[in-house]
Amino acid sequence: MAPQKRMMLKADVNRIYDEEVYSEQKIREEKFFVRPTRQRKMKKGKLFSVGMGLDLPFCIIILVLLTIGMIMMFSASYAYAYYNQGDSYYYLVRQLIFAVIGVGIMFVLSFFNYNKLHKVAPVILAISYLCLLVVLVLPGSEGVKRWIPLGIFNIQPSEIAKFAIILFFSHWCSKYYNKMQFARYSVLPGVIVFGSTALLLFLEPHYSGIVIIGILSVVMLYIGGMQTKYLGIGLGLIVGVVLILAVTNSLSYAMSRLDGWGQALEYTTDDMWWTTYQTRNSLYAIGSGGLWGLGLGQSRMKYLYIPEPQNDFIFAVVVEELGLVGALMILLIFALLVWRGITLSLRAKDKFGKLLGIGLTSQIGIQVVLNILVITDWLPNTGISLPFFSYGGSSLIMLLAQMGLVLSISRTANIERQ
């Protein structure tokens, strides 16, 4: 072959080689550099996906509810705090500390890989059982054992149990999703897990906790694939157990909660007057609020008429001060939180993320509805806290931590969509 032709052939080979190397280099550059550039554009141009996928609207709704709840908790509590603690800011300062800790945990968990919880779900359920057992051996208050004292604040094991139930059924239903139509994979684990948790709560006693965990168990198993007919079987078992306990006089504490239910404004004896005292004053507060309310800080019923107004009956003070319009606006924000949380959860790339996110968000909606029904006397006074509003350290921290996991699910879902 002539030297000139060999040189031309060599040049062609080198050109082809250079093009292949350039092509491979370009692919590597697109893989490692172009996608982050696109994510930065998403950050500037798209509200629903910021940075690594943190859902800004959901985060803002949480912080808005927390801020409003903090303001209303202080408004409802300062008279009671001054009378009982000698410091009007007693509950506010403590709740602020809990809120700062909770928000910090929420943002840390938003970066956490929630799939790491998949395999440890049974362990966390066992830990919740341990906490529920520990509280039973500790001294209680007025025959009730619900808190584990830890110095500056108390842990309520039922809050851990709620999360453990949601986590375990998310793990179980996603693992056996194709077998959930069989009773041994749906009804049997549901009865065992809920039944054992309910038994420990029954011994405290904590009946409102049993109701919430029961509803959460039904929701998780149903969206996890359990057939509707099995819900009837489960409901029948629960009714049967309740009847047996009632016949054996084992529900004396629960039956005392039913005294005066629905008769707060129709008391006929002195005993009924005292029994319905809290609920009746709650209704007075709600009625006094009218359409626009008496004004922020202007509640009258918080001045020792409603016992512990910073806790379960705080929404009665909210309605009294902000009126029906203000109350409906707050309920609308709660509805937006639940809707946004479920929407984000449905975008998750795996069944575990979907179930976990829906369960954690549903817990808020369930507690809000039950709390409103209690303060309006549609349900017996069972002590159900209002998320983000009612005073309580373990409840607020656990709630914000759970919202952090929902944000973690939203990060993963948004990254996948990008």
Side-chain angles (χ1 to χ4, degrees):
M1 182 179 295
Q4 187 177 2
K5 290 184 177 181
R6 283 199 299 269
M7 290 177 63
M8 292 177 62
L9 181 59
K10 186 176 181 180
D12 291 337
V13 172
N14 289 338
R15 178 178 56 79
I16 294 172
Y17 175 80
D18 291 340
E19 289 178 353
E20 290 177 351
V21 171
Y22 175 76
S23 179
E24 291 177 359
Q25 183 179 359
K26 186 176 181 181
I27 290 173
R28 286 197 297 269
E29 290 177 351
E30 288 179 350
K31 181 177 180 180
F32 291 102
F33 298 104
V34 174
R35 185 170 179 175
T37 302
R38 186 183 176 191
Q39 285 185 354
R40 286 194 293 270
K41 290 181 179 178
M42 296 287 283
K43 177 179 178 180
K44 293 180 181 179
K46 196 170 183 180
L47 180 64
F48 284 5
S49 188
V50 179
M52 291 184 63
L54 177 67
D55 192 78
L56 188 58
F58 187 74
C59 187
I60 290 175
I61 293 172
I62 294 172
L63 295 178
V64 167
L65 279 173
L66 182 62
T67 302
I68 297 175
M70 198 70 62
I71 294 171
M72 296 310 306
M73 196 281 300
F74 174 61
S75 177
S77 69
Y78 67 79
Y80 181 83
Y82 182 79
Y83 182 81
N84 289 277
Q85 305 295 337
D87 181 7
S88 298
Y89 298 93
Y90 177 80
Y91 294 109
L92 175 64
V93 171
R94 293 169 68 88
Q95 192 79 337
L96 279 173
I97 294 173
F98 300 144
V100 170
I101 295 173
V103 170
I105 293 174
M106 180 182 73
F107 281 111
V108 169
L109 288 179
S110 71
F111 289 94
F112 178 72
N113 183 1
Y114 65 89
N115 283 295
K116 300 294 184 181
L117 297 173
H118 204 334
K119 294 182 180 180
V120 300
V123 177
I124 295 178
L125 181 65
I127 292 174
S128 73
Y129 287 155
L130 179 61
C131 293
L132 290 172
L133 287 170
V134 168
V135 77
L136 295 178
V137 301
L138 296 175
S141 175
E142 299 180 358
V144 177
K145 300 180 178 181
R146 296 182 184 176
W147 295 274
I148 300 176
L150 289 178
I152 62 172
F153 74 103
N154 301 327
I155 291 180
Q156 193 168 13
S158 60
E159 298 298 329
I160 302 175
K162 294 173 190 176
F163 171 67
I165 286 286
I166 296 171
L167 179 61
F168 177 79
F169 283 131
S170 299
H171 157 77
W172 181 270
C173 295
S174 60
K175 184 177 181 180
Y176 298 105
Y177 184 76
N178 295 326
K179 299 179 180 179
M180 289 297 291
Q181 67 270 25
F182 302 110
R184 63 176 179 173
Y185 288 98
S186 55
V187 178
L188 184 60
V191 170
I192 293 174
V193 175
F194 166 68
S196 55
T197 306
L199 175 61
L200 294 173
L201 290 172
F202 175 79
L203 296 175
E204 292 187 6
H206 192 184
Y207 297 120
S208 60
I210 296 175
V211 171
I212 294 173
I213 287 176
I215 296 174
L216 286 173
S217 299
V218 170
V219 170
M220 296 306 298
L221 289 170
Y222 183 72
I223 65 177
M226 184 175 72
Q227 294 186 11
T228 306
K229 64 180 181 180
Y230 292 142
L231 294 179
I233 296 175
L235 181 61
L237 290 173
I238 293 174
V239 171
V241 172
V242 171
L243 289 176
I244 292 174
L245 292 174
V247 170
T248 57
N249 199 27
S250 300
L251 294 177
S252 56
Y253 181 83
M255 297 306 293
S256 66
R257 291 287 185 170
L258 294 176
D259 291 343
W261 173 36
Q263 303 174 12
L265 300 177
E266 302 174 1
Y267 56 89
T268 56
T269 64
D270 290 341
D271 289 339
M272 186 178 292
W273 188 88
W274 283 109
T275 301
T276 60
Y277 181 80
Q278 188 175 32
T279 305
R280 180 171 61 258
N281 286 324
S282 169
L283 295 176
Y284 287 161
I286 294 172
S288 300
L291 187 62
W292 300 105
L294 302 179
L296 182 62
Q298 301 303 312
S299 167
R300 305 186 187 102
M301 304 308 296
K302 67 185 177 184
Y303 289 97
L304 307 183
Y305 290 100
I306 299 177
E308 299 186 14
Q310 75 279 3
N311 288 336
D312 304 331
F313 279 74
I314 187 173
F315 200 70
V317 177
V318 172
V319 179
E320 184 181 10
E321 294 189 349
L322 304 184
L324 177 62
V325 174
L328 290 178
M329 291 296 294
I330 292 173
L331 293 179
L332 177 61
I333 299 174
F334 272 116
L336 288 174
L337 179 70
V338 175
W339 169 80
R340 187 63 188 166
I342 292 176
T343 302
L344 293 174
S345 303
L346 292 174
R347 295 176 183 172
K349 62 180 180 179
D350 59 318
K351 289 185 177 64
F352 175 70
K354 287 182 172 68
L355 292 171
L356 180 62
I358 293 174
L360 295 175
T361 309
S362 298
Q363 179 188 335
I364 296 178
I366 291 169
Q367 287 197 206
V368 170
V369 171
L370 292 178
N371 179 270
I372 300 302
L373 292 177
V374 167
I375 69 169
T376 54
D377 206 22
W378 284 88
L379 285 179
N381 184 356
T382 55
I384 298 174
S385 61
L386 183 66
F388 301 110
F389 280 70
S390 296
Y391 173 77
S394 59
S395 174
L396 183 60
I397 291 174
M398 279 297 301
L399 187 63
L400 290 170
Q402 292 174 185
M403 294 302 96
L405 291 177
V406 178
L407 287 171
S408 173
I409 296 170
S410 77
R411 285 183 183 277
T412 305
N414 285 334
I415 289 174
E416 291 298 317
R417 295 180 74 209
Q418 292 176 10

